[in-house]
Amino acid sequence: MILRRNSWALIVFFLIVVPALCGDWPNSGGNAGRSGMSPETGPVTEDLLWSGGMTSLIAWQPVIEGSRVFMVRQPAWPGDPDDSFVVAMDLEDGGGGWTIEIPYNSGDWITWVAGVKNGIIYASRAGNGASVSAKLFALEAADGSQIWESDDLIDAGPYDGVVFAPDGDPVIGSFTDIWRIDSADGSTMWHNTRVCSVSGTCGGAIFEDAYYVVDAVYGGHVIRRFDLETGQWLYDSPVMEGFLVQNTPLVGPDGTIYFNRVQNNATVDYFYAFSDNRVEFTQKWRVPAAWGTASEFGIGPDGSVYMVMPGPVLARLHPDDGSVVDSYALGQFNASRMAVDAAGNVFFSNSGFADGHFTVFSPELNVLWDTTVTNINIGGPAIGQNGTLVLCGIGTDVRTYRDDGPTPTPTSETPSVTPTATESVPSVTPTPTDFVPPTETALPTETPYSPSATPAPTETPVQPTNTPVKTWTPSPTPGTRPPSTATSCPTWTLKPTEPPVELGVRIDMPVHVMPGDLFYITGYLDNPGDVLTDIPVFFILDVYGSYWFWDSWVYFEPPNGEIDYGVMDVPNGTMRIEVIPELTWPDTGVGSASGLILWGAMVNPEFTDILGRYAMHTWGYG
């Protein structure tokens, strides 16, 4: 049966089940899967919001939560208590922040910010290629005051990065270790060992209850799955041939794991895609890849995969088979750091130093705007609330951009390698009356793909062994303060794998739907144990932070709005729910939307805990 409730307890619980995603860039890669996906729409014109900040010799990754951006600014070289500071700045105007130093011990390295989650900033002086061990510190986002220091030492650094479990625990992958630290008190929830290829670029990625890293094995590298809750190693992917690699994996919203396994040897340099059915990995495809270290890549709201091929060529790949959909010939290139916004626009840094450059592309990889950012390194991009883009350079170069203007006409200063005729259409944010809540097609048979691109420089063929090695301040300057228009998207859909029964909720629906397409939403309640009675079941549509509750799709109007949910007995096995029966998607004209989210969860009758895993599916239409 379906019940309607007006209860603060339920609303508070709902806010736990459905985390606030909009506007945050909590860690390197932008989310737990390091996919570079943002629910915001970033600036499509070069409209400066403000600029200026504390001086720094090196540009480090900014992270964003709510209305503040956090970063490390480094005025001196390592070896001095005053060599680096954690800095908080207001995202709107650059003011109203704070600057602190975390405790320094002799031999410590430069401070780095691991990330921010649930009002807590995580920072450490560990790193330098895992040669320096130090505590992880938790700081209050409001004022920088210390909450705790970790029980254990870590040796990860800024290029490893950190990702966050659903409850906010930081999960840290380093050269030979993985830690999950309790966000409440700094104790170690679990620890396991691993063997990364090269120290300093050994971070992992999270999808649902899996933590993925890439480890060195005989003959190459494997993606290794660990249990997020226990830290137990579960199984490995097929071997990716090669010797050394200095990148981290990323995971798409459908659970596909991607990895850029490169070492500047064209015979073994490939970008891989693997599926994981919770029992084993299967290679979906691989394509030739350009060499780069400490890279972060991007997934579009339609599933497009953005990476760099030999040339170097920025490429948009079809997620089903890795075929090239669009491409753009890059100039100077060191490594990639990307963000992809809710409209599918791509924000690309070449991670360069003297030749540091930043470019914004349409989904079809037409240039929207670009700018020079000297020594950008890993200083962005990061996209925060209201689509605010943050970039960090050296000196006092800290910048934010935001716009409200129309989509500019794309330019192509460097010819596209595979130009494609495209047409932009205005974005329309759905309203309660617009929404017709979402069929899914099977993936096509995979076929090998061999693009004709300039190969990367070759080297001596690799040996069949693989041994791991270690190798304030000016006031911000106001700019012009200005959602962008979305572009049409391909219509492919992604079919989720069928995992063994594990307590929780799954959702089956299209990734993107066009007028005339078949559309449905099917929920699956998985229960491996005895029958569960009187279980509240939620399916919630999240439209850019506004929420509609199944079954009546009632709109939740803060602060005391009504919400709907089902209460039902869940038998052993899998129970199927037609959340939205099959229908033909109507003609929405030029209207389109992307970055919409459907959530699903079961909770206990007391509304104190989520039962098993919850589901999150990102989709769009038009």
Side-chain angles (χ1 to χ4, degrees):
M1 66 179 169
I2 305 300
L3 302 179
R4 181 169 294 181
R5 293 288 185 266
N6 185 355
S7 163
W8 270 110
L10 294 183
I11 292 170
V12 170
F13 180 80
F14 162 65
L15 294 176
I16 297 172
V17 174
V18 184
L21 293 180
C22 291
D24 292 344
W25 191 271
N27 53 266
S28 184
N31 51 53
R34 301 179 81 143
S35 66
M37 298 179 72
S38 170
E40 296 284 350
T41 301
V44 295
T45 55
E46 191 179 357
D47 291 318
L48 188 67
L49 180 60
W50 56 264
S51 66
M54 188 177 189
T55 192
S56 189
L57 298 171
I58 299 176
W60 298 113
Q61 174 72 51
V63 295
I64 302 170
E65 186 171 75
S67 62
R68 282 188 171 174
V69 58
F70 308 91
M71 67 198 76
V72 162
R73 301 301 282 173
Q74 179 192 336
W77 297 113
D80 186 295
D82 299 326
D83 57 13
S84 50
F85 298 82
V86 180
V87 177
M89 304 178 77
D90 191 286
L91 204 56
E92 292 295 317
D93 58 15
W98 47 259
T99 301
I100 65 103
E101 300 171 272
I102 65 172
Y104 174 85
N105 295 304
S106 179
D108 278 356
W109 197 241
I110 290 294
T111 302
W112 63 285
V113 169
V116 57
K117 194 71 172 179
N118 301 333
I120 303 175
I121 303 159
Y122 298 90
S124 180
R125 282 183 170 273
N128 191 26
S131 65
V132 175
S133 296
K135 296 294 183 78
L136 180 71
F137 291 87
L139 312 174
E140 286 279 5
D143 57 13
S145 59
Q146 183 177 319
I147 303 171
W148 49 254
E149 62 179 55
S150 60
D151 290 350
D152 292 337
L153 301 174
I154 65 169
D155 59 8
Y159 298 99
D160 298 298
V162 165
V163 290
F164 294 97
D167 65 355
D169 289 351
V171 185
I172 305 160
S174 188
F175 186 39
T176 58
D177 299 273
I178 305 170
W179 300 267
R180 178 171 174 169
I181 306 297
D182 192 332
S183 58
D185 59 12
S187 61
T188 299
M189 301 290 289
W190 55 259
H191 167 264
N192 208 336
T193 58
R194 47 82 63 100
V195 183
C196 182
S197 180
V198 179
S199 62
T201 48
C202 299
I206 289 173
F207 182 76
E208 294 182 343
D209 58 354
Y211 179 72
Y212 297 105
V213 297
V214 172
D215 274 7
V217 296
Y218 182 82
H221 303 91
V222 294
I223 296 173
R224 183 157 284 174
R225 176 174 178 148
F226 290 83
D227 186 288
L228 181 60
E229 293 303 313
T230 67
Q232 178 185 1
W233 167 75
L234 299 175
Y235 48 87
D236 294 344
S237 72
V239 174
M240 299 172 284
E241 182 186 0
F243 180 51
L244 299 176
V245 70
Q246 294 173 266
N247 284 314
T248 53
L250 66 151
V251 189
D254 67 327
T256 300
I257 306 99
Y258 301 96
F259 184 64
N260 199 48
R261 205 239 66 81
V262 294
Q263 63 186 62
N264 201 16
N265 179 345
T267 63
V268 292
D269 286 359
Y270 289 96
F271 186 92
Y272 287 82
F274 290 91
S275 62
D276 177 10
N277 66 2
R278 309 177 70 85
V279 175
E280 63 182 1
F281 293 95
T282 301
Q283 182 179 313
K284 296 173 64 175
W285 47 262
R286 70 177 191 178
V287 297
W291 180 66
T293 63
S295 293
E296 302 280 356
F297 301 95
I299 309 296
D302 59 4
S304 294
V305 181
Y306 294 92
M307 50 80 67
V308 181
M309 304 186 82
V313 173
L314 177 61
R316 178 191 190 187
L317 307 182
H318 195 296
D320 291 352
D321 58 10
S323 58
V324 177
V325 179
D326 297 295
S327 61
Y328 179 87
L330 296 168
Q332 295 294 328
F333 171 74
N334 185 56
S336 64
R337 310 287 287 194
M338 298 190 201
V340 185
D341 72 6
N345 299 310
V346 180
F347 299 77
F348 177 85
S349 162
N350 70 356
S351 297
F353 291 88
D355 57 358
H357 207 79
F358 180 79
T359 308
V360 180
F361 297 91
S362 71
E364 299 82 15
L365 299 183
N366 296 311
V367 175
L368 299 178
W369 61 274
D370 65 345
T371 186
T372 296
V373 185
T374 304
N375 288 47
I376 190 171
N377 189 33
I378 61 171
I383 298 177
Q385 69 177 16
N386 300 317
T388 308
L389 169 69
V390 179
L391 301 176
C392 296
I394 59 171
T396 60
D397 189 2
V398 177
R399 316 178 199 176
T400 62
Y401 296 87
R402 185 193 299 166
D403 68 48
D404 289 318
T407 303
T409 302
T411 63
S412 184
E413 297 170 1
T414 304
S416 174
V417 175
T418 54
T420 304
T422 59
E423 183 175 288
S424 297
V425 297
S427 172
V428 177
T429 302
T431 65
T433 56
D434 289 331
F435 176 63
V436 184
T439 262
E440 196 140 317
T441 60
L443 293 176
T445 303
E446 294 176 14
T447 55
Y449 172 72
S450 299
S452 55
T454 305
T458 59
E459 65 177 17
T460 304
V462 299
Q463 301 300 314
T465 58
N466 195 2
T467 305
V469 299
K470 294 185 77 166
T471 41
W472 122 302
T473 338
S475 300
T477 303
T480 55
R481 228 192 116 180
S484 312
T485 59
T487 60
S488 57
C489 303
T491 59
W492 62 75
T493 59
L494 305 174
K495 185 172 180 59
T497 57
E498 290 292 334
V501 173
E502 176 187 345
L503 184 63
V505 177
R506 290 178 290 129
I507 293 172
D508 183 7
M509 64 178 291
V511 168
H512 200 91
V513 63
M514 301 286 282
D517 287 350
L518 192 63
F519 178 83
Y520 64 79
I521 302 176
T522 303
Y524 296 94
L525 310 183
D526 295 329
N527 177 20
D530 295 335
V531 61
L532 301 172
T533 59
D534 296 330
I535 298 302
V537 177
F538 288 84
F539 290 99
I540 305 161
L541 173 67
D542 176 353
V543 182
Y544 312 132
S546 296
Y547 303 103
W548 285 259
F549 285 73
W550 168 82
D551 175 74
S552 65
W553 299 110
V554 62
Y555 171 63
F556 170 66
E557 188 168 356
N560 295 309
E562 294 181 333
I563 63 175
D564 274 7
Y565 60 95
V567 177
M568 58 193 71
D569 295 343
V570 182
N572 173 265
T574 296
M575 180 177 177
R576 185 177 186 272
I577 298 177
E578 282 194 348
V579 180
I580 298 294
E582 287 188 359
L583 56 86
T584 299
W585 192 263
D587 185 357
T588 53
V590 298
S592 65
S594 57
L596 310 178
I597 299 172
L598 188 75
W599 302 87
M602 294 187 291
V603 304
N604 63 0
E606 297 77 27
F607 289 92
T608 59
D609 200 7
I610 301 172
L611 297 180
R613 65 179 183 276
Y614 63 84
M616 169 189 165
H617 189 101
T618 303
W619 66 286
Y621 69 83

